[in-house]
C-alpha cells in the first residue's frame, strides 16, 4: 500500500539550481523519512524529521514538515549532477512491526 | 553503520522455476526484515514482513504460497519466488532496522527477470 503522493513525479533542473520535492501522506505519523535511490540500486536513508519538528537541515538538504497539512518537502540546494536519483518520502505504519511505507517518488535529473 | 547484504544482485530464470533471494544483516541483528517489490519507474511496494522464528506477515494481495519467506536466524531472511512467471519480473529489495535506530537499511536489490 502506498502512503501518499509525491510531486512532481519528475523534475529536471540545471546544475547549481535548487530542487524542491513535495510529499503528502495519509495517516498520523511519529516521523517522516526521506530516501534516495540511484537507478537500479538500493535505498539510502537521507534524513528523518519527527512529528514535533517543523524543519531540519543536513548539509545541502532541508526538510520541512507540516502535520496539519500532512505534507513534507525536501529541498536540495546548489544541486550537482551526482544528485540525479529518485527521492522517496516514507512513513512508518505503527501497527505491528512498524512497516515503512513509501510515497510515489520524484525522479530528479540534474543537467550539467 | 548498519549494512544489509542482498544476493544475488540479478538473476534470470525460466518460467516455472523457483528463485531464492537472500538478505543478510552483516553487523547487527534484525528480528524483523521487510521485502519490497519495485516495478520500473514506480515506488517500492511492501510485500511482506519477515519475522525471525515465526511466520511472515504478508500485505494484502501478495500470495504467500508464491512468495515464500524464511527468517531462520537473526541475520538472514530469504525470499523464494516459486513457479516464477514473466509478470514476476521485478526489482526486489529487502530492508532491516537495527534496534534503537530510526532509519531503515536497505539491501542493494535483486533484479529478477523471468523468461
Amino acid at each position: 500500500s502506498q502512503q501518499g503522493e509525491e510531486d512532481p513525479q519528475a523534475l529536471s533542473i540545471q546544475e547549481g539550481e535548487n530542487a524542491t520535492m513535495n510529499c503528502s501522506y495519509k495517516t498520523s505519523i511519529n516521523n517522516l523519512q526521506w530516501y534516495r535511490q540511484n537507478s537500479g540500486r538500493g535505498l539510502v536513508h537521507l534524513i528523518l524529521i519527527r512529528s514535533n519538528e517543523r524543519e531540519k537541515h543536513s548539509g545541502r538538504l532541508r526538510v520541512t514538515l507540516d502535520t496539519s497539512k500532512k505534507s513534507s518537502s525536501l529541498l536540495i540546494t546548489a544541486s550537482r549532477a551526482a544528485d540525479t536519483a529518485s527521492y522517496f518520502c516514507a512513513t512508518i505504519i505503527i501497527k505491528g512491526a512498524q512497516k515503512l511505507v513509501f510515497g510515489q517518488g520524484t525522479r530528479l535529473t540534474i543537467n550539467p | 553503520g548498519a549494512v544489509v547484504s542482498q544476493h544475488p544482485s540479478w538473476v534470470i530464470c525460466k518460467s516455472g522455476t523457483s528463485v531464492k533471494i537472500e538478505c543478510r544483516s552483516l553487523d547487527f541483528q534484525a528480528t524483523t526484515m521487510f521485502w519490497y517489490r519495485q516495478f520500473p519507474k514506480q515506488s517500492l511496494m511492501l510485500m511482506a514482513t519477515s519475522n525471525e522464528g515465526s511466520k511472515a506477515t504478508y500485505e494484502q494481495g501478495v500470495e504467500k504460497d508464491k512468495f515464500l519467506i524464511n527468517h531462520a536466524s537473526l541475520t538472514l531472511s530469504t525470499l523464494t519466488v516459486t513457479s516464477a512467471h514473466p509478470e514476476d519480473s521485478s526489482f526486489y529489495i529487502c530492508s532491516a532496522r537495527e534496534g534503537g535506530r530510526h532509519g531503515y537499511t536497505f539491501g542493494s536489490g535483486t533484479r529478477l527477470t523471468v523468461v
Side-chain angles (χ1 to χ4, degrees):
Chain A
S1 60
Q2 294 302 118
Q3 174 63 304
E5 300 292 325
E6 287 187 59
D7 76 272
Q9 292 188 4
L11 177 63
S12 180
I13 62 174
Q14 293 300 120
E15 194 168 21
E17 295 180 340
N18 296 340
T20 300
M21 292 158 273
N22 303 297
C23 162
S24 62
Y25 56 92
K26 298 175 182 176
T27 63
S28 296
I29 61 171
N30 286 342
N31 63 67
L32 185 142
Q33 305 177 32
W34 284 89
Y35 288 81
R36 165 196 168 120
Q37 183 184 34
N38 283 28
S39 180
R41 304 292 296 274
L43 276 73
V44 174
H45 181 256
L46 294 177
I47 194 167
L48 178 151
I49 185 166
R50 300 178 194 277
S51 59
N52 61 353
E53 297 176 310
R54 291 296 167 260
E55 187 172 311
K56 197 166 184 178
H57 297 252
S58 177
R60 294 184 296 113
L61 305 180
R62 181 171 78 95
V63 170
T64 63
L65 179 64
D66 187 335
T67 53
S68 66
K69 295 181 180 179
K70 288 187 167 58
S71 67
S72 174
S73 69
L74 171 67
L75 168 67
I76 302 175
T77 61
S79 63
R80 306 167 182 169
D83 294 329
T84 295
S86 291
Y87 293 82
F88 297 91
C89 67
T91 56
I92 295 174
I93 304 297
I94 297 176
K95 292 180 182 178
Q98 298 195 3
K99 301 178 288 188
L100 190 63
V101 178
F102 289 85
Q104 304 284 0
T106 295
R107 295 190 308 279
L108 175 65
T109 303
I110 308 298
N111 302 305
Chain B
V3 177
V4 172
S5 174
Q6 187 171 341
H7 179 82
S9 57
W10 61 271
V11 58
I12 301 173
C13 71
K14 292 183 178 180
S15 288
T17 61
S18 296
V19 173
K20 179 184 285 188
I21 303 170
E22 293 188 349
C23 181
R24 294 180 184 273
S25 56
L26 295 187
D27 49 2
F28 67 100
Q29 294 182 333
T31 55
T32 304
M33 292 185 177
F34 303 91
W35 287 96
Y36 294 84
R37 179 165 59 180
Q38 184 180 33
F39 292 107
K41 296 186 178 180
Q42 294 189 22
S43 186
L44 283 76
M45 296 294 295
L46 180 64
M47 299 175 65
T49 302
S50 172
N51 306 298
E52 187 269 335
S54 65
K55 292 182 179 180
T57 305
Y58 290 82
E59 294 300 302
Q60 189 173 8
V62 178
E63 301 175 58
K64 62 180 181 180
D65 294 330
K66 181 169 186 61
F67 299 100
L68 301 180
I69 291 173
N70 185 284
H71 195 151
S73 76
L74 286 170
T75 59
L76 174 64
S77 174
T78 61
L79 168 68
T80 301
V81 183
T82 63
S83 187
H85 291 283
E87 56 265 32
D88 298 323
S89 298
S90 187
F91 192 59
Y92 293 86
I93 311 176
C94 67
S95 78
R97 182 169 69 104
E98 185 179 13
R101 293 170 59 94
H102 290 288
Y104 289 66
T105 303
F106 285 79
S108 56
T110 297
R111 174 76 58 193
L112 171 63
T113 302
V114 185
V115 297

